[in-house]
PDB file of all heavy atoms in Angstrom:
ATOM      1  N   VAL A  92     -67.116 -83.301 -71.507  1.00 91.00           N
ATOM      2  CA  VAL A  92     -66.148 -83.536 -72.582  1.00 91.00           C
ATOM      3  C   VAL A  92     -65.533 -82.243 -73.087  1.00 91.00           C
ATOM      4  O   VAL A  92     -64.431 -82.265 -73.677  1.00 91.00           O
ATOM      5  CB  VAL A  92     -66.806 -84.322 -73.727  1.00 91.00           C
ATOM      6  CG1 VAL A  92     -67.166 -85.738 -73.288  1.00 91.00           C
ATOM      7  CG2 VAL A  92     -68.023 -83.588 -74.266  1.00 91.00           C
ATOM      8  N   ASN A  93     -66.169 -81.064 -72.878  1.00 91.00           N
ATOM      9  CA  ASN A  93     -65.585 -79.790 -73.303  1.00 91.00           C
ATOM     10  C   ASN A  93     -66.420 -78.648 -72.736  1.00 91.00           C
ATOM     11  O   ASN A  93     -67.554 -78.852 -72.241  1.00 91.00           O
ATOM     12  CB  ASN A  93     -65.520 -79.700 -74.830  1.00 91.00           C
ATOM     13  CG  ASN A  93     -64.310 -78.867 -75.276  1.00 91.00           C
ATOM     14  OD1 ASN A  93     -63.823 -78.015 -74.548  1.00 91.00           O
ATOM     15  ND2 ASN A  93     -63.825 -79.134 -76.494  1.00 91.00           N
ATOM     16  N   GLY A  94     -65.871 -77.399 -72.752  1.00 92.00           N
ATOM     17  CA  GLY A  94     -66.562 -76.238 -72.231  1.00 92.00           C
ATOM     18  C   GLY A  94     -65.981 -74.936 -72.757  1.00 92.00           C
ATOM     19  O   GLY A  94     -64.882 -74.916 -73.350  1.00 92.00           O
ATOM     20  N   VAL A  95     -66.702 -73.814 -72.542  1.00 93.00           N
ATOM     21  CA  VAL A  95     -66.284 -72.504 -73.015  1.00 93.00           C
ATOM     22  C   VAL A  95     -66.770 -71.429 -72.019  1.00 93.00           C
ATOM     23  O   VAL A  95     -67.801 -71.613 -71.363  1.00 93.00           O
ATOM     24  CB  VAL A  95     -66.832 -72.232 -74.433  1.00 93.00           C
ATOM     25  CG1 VAL A  95     -68.363 -72.081 -74.406  1.00 93.00           C
ATOM     26  CG2 VAL A  95     -66.193 -70.989 -75.028  1.00 93.00           C
ATOM     27  N   GLN A  96     -66.018 -70.291 -71.882  1.00 92.00           N
ATOM     28  CA  GLN A  96     -66.404 -69.156 -71.033  1.00 92.00           C
ATOM     29  C   GLN A  96     -66.884 -68.019 -71.911  1.00 92.00           C
ATOM     30  O   GLN A  96     -66.195 -67.605 -72.856  1.00 92.00           O
ATOM     31  CB  GLN A  96     -65.236 -68.685 -70.170  1.00 92.00           C
ATOM     32  CG  GLN A  96     -65.593 -67.519 -69.253  1.00 92.00           C
ATOM     33  CD  GLN A  96     -64.398 -67.038 -68.428  1.00 92.00           C
ATOM     34  OE1 GLN A  96     -63.256 -67.436 -68.714  1.00 92.00           O
ATOM     35  NE2 GLN A  96     -64.644 -66.223 -67.442  1.00 92.00           N
ATOM     36  N   VAL A  97     -68.024 -67.468 -71.569  1.00 92.00           N
ATOM     37  CA  VAL A  97     -68.609 -66.347 -72.303  1.00 92.00           C
ATOM     38  C   VAL A  97     -68.767 -65.176 -71.332  1.00 92.00           C
ATOM     39  O   VAL A  97     -69.323 -65.332 -70.240  1.00 92.00           O
ATOM     40  CB  VAL A  97     -69.973 -66.729 -72.918  1.00 92.00           C
ATOM     41  CG1 VAL A  97     -70.560 -65.535 -73.680  1.00 92.00           C
ATOM     42  CG2 VAL A  97     -69.820 -67.921 -73.845  1.00 92.00           C
ATOM     43  N   LYS A  98     -68.281 -64.003 -71.730  1.00 90.00           N
ATOM     44  CA  LYS A  98     -68.340 -62.810 -70.881  1.00 90.00           C
ATOM     45  C   LYS A  98     -69.420 -61.865 -71.385  1.00 90.00           C
ATOM     46  O   LYS A  98     -69.495 -61.591 -72.587  1.00 90.00           O
ATOM     47  CB  LYS A  98     -67.001 -62.071 -70.895  1.00 90.00           C
ATOM     48  CG  LYS A  98     -65.855 -62.892 -70.348  1.00 90.00           C
ATOM     49  CD  LYS A  98     -64.541 -62.119 -70.417  1.00 90.00           C
ATOM     50  CE  LYS A  98     -63.370 -62.933 -69.862  1.00 90.00           C
ATOM     51  NZ  LYS A  98     -62.094 -62.192 -69.921  1.00 90.00           N
ATOM     52  N   ALA A  99     -70.205 -61.365 -70.437  1.00 89.00           N
ATOM     53  CA  ALA A  99     -71.227 -60.369 -70.759  1.00 89.00           C
ATOM     54  C   ALA A  99     -70.704 -58.997 -70.333  1.00 89.00           C
ATOM     55  O   ALA A  99     -70.365 -58.778 -69.175  1.00 89.00           O
ATOM     56  CB  ALA A  99     -72.523 -60.690 -70.058  1.00 89.00           C
ATOM     57  N   ARG A 100     -70.594 -58.071 -71.249  1.00 89.00           N
ATOM     58  CA  ARG A 100     -70.050 -56.749 -70.988  1.00 89.00           C
ATOM     59  C   ARG A 100     -70.980 -55.673 -71.549  1.00 89.00           C
ATOM     60  O   ARG A 100     -71.961 -55.952 -72.220  1.00 89.00           O
ATOM     61  CB  ARG A 100     -68.649 -56.611 -71.600  1.00 89.00           C
ATOM     62  CG  ARG A 100     -67.608 -57.531 -70.983  1.00 89.00           C
ATOM     63  CD  ARG A 100     -67.315 -57.138 -69.543  1.00 89.00           C
ATOM     64  NE  ARG A 100     -66.236 -57.916 -68.954  1.00 89.00           N
ATOM     65  CZ  ARG A 100     -66.424 -59.020 -68.234  1.00 89.00           C
ATOM     66  NH1 ARG A 100     -67.663 -59.479 -68.045  1.00 89.00           N
ATOM     67  NH2 ARG A 100     -65.399 -59.663 -67.703  1.00 89.00           N
ATOM     68  N   TYR A 101     -70.579 -54.402 -71.243  1.00 87.00           N
ATOM     69  CA  TYR A 101     -71.420 -53.274 -71.625  1.00 87.00           C
ATOM     70  C   TYR A 101     -70.623 -52.325 -72.514  1.00 87.00           C
ATOM     71  O   TYR A 101     -69.380 -52.316 -72.495  1.00 87.00           O
ATOM     72  CB  TYR A 101     -71.899 -52.525 -70.382  1.00 87.00           C
ATOM     73  CG  TYR A 101     -72.783 -53.353 -69.483  1.00 87.00           C
ATOM     74  CD1 TYR A 101     -72.241 -54.153 -68.480  1.00 87.00           C
ATOM     75  CD2 TYR A 101     -74.162 -53.320 -69.644  1.00 87.00           C
ATOM     76  CE1 TYR A 101     -73.053 -54.910 -67.654  1.00 87.00           C
ATOM     77  CE2 TYR A 101     -74.987 -54.077 -68.813  1.00 87.00           C
ATOM     78  CZ  TYR A 101     -74.421 -54.861 -67.820  1.00 87.00           C
ATOM     79  OH  TYR A 101     -75.236 -55.615 -67.015  1.00 87.00           O
ATOM     80  N   PRO A 102     -71.299 -51.452 -73.219  1.00 89.00           N
ATOM     81  CA  PRO A 102     -70.599 -50.407 -73.976  1.00 89.00           C
ATOM     82  C   PRO A 102     -69.928 -49.441 -72.995  1.00 89.00           C
ATOM     83  O   PRO A 102     -70.264 -49.411 -71.801  1.00 89.00           O
ATOM     84  CB  PRO A 102     -71.717 -49.708 -74.760  1.00 89.00           C
ATOM     85  CG  PRO A 102     -72.842 -50.670 -74.781  1.00 89.00           C
ATOM     86  CD  PRO A 102     -72.743 -51.455 -73.498  1.00 89.00           C
ATOM     87  N   PRO A 103     -68.994 -48.609 -73.415  1.00 89.00           N
ATOM     88  CA  PRO A 103     -68.323 -47.681 -72.501  1.00 89.00           C
ATOM     89  C   PRO A 103     -69.298 -46.663 -71.937  1.00 89.00           C
ATOM     90  O   PRO A 103     -70.263 -46.269 -72.606  1.00 89.00           O
ATOM     91  CB  PRO A 103     -67.253 -47.017 -73.388  1.00 89.00           C
ATOM     92  CG  PRO A 103     -67.809 -47.141 -74.763  1.00 89.00           C
ATOM     93  CD  PRO A 103     -68.556 -48.446 -74.818  1.00 89.00           C
TER      94      PRO A 103
END
Side-chain angles (χ1 to χ4, degrees):
V92 293
N93 212 334
V95 68
Q96 181 182 12
V97 180
K98 298 178 180 180
R100 295 293 185 266
Y101 297 88

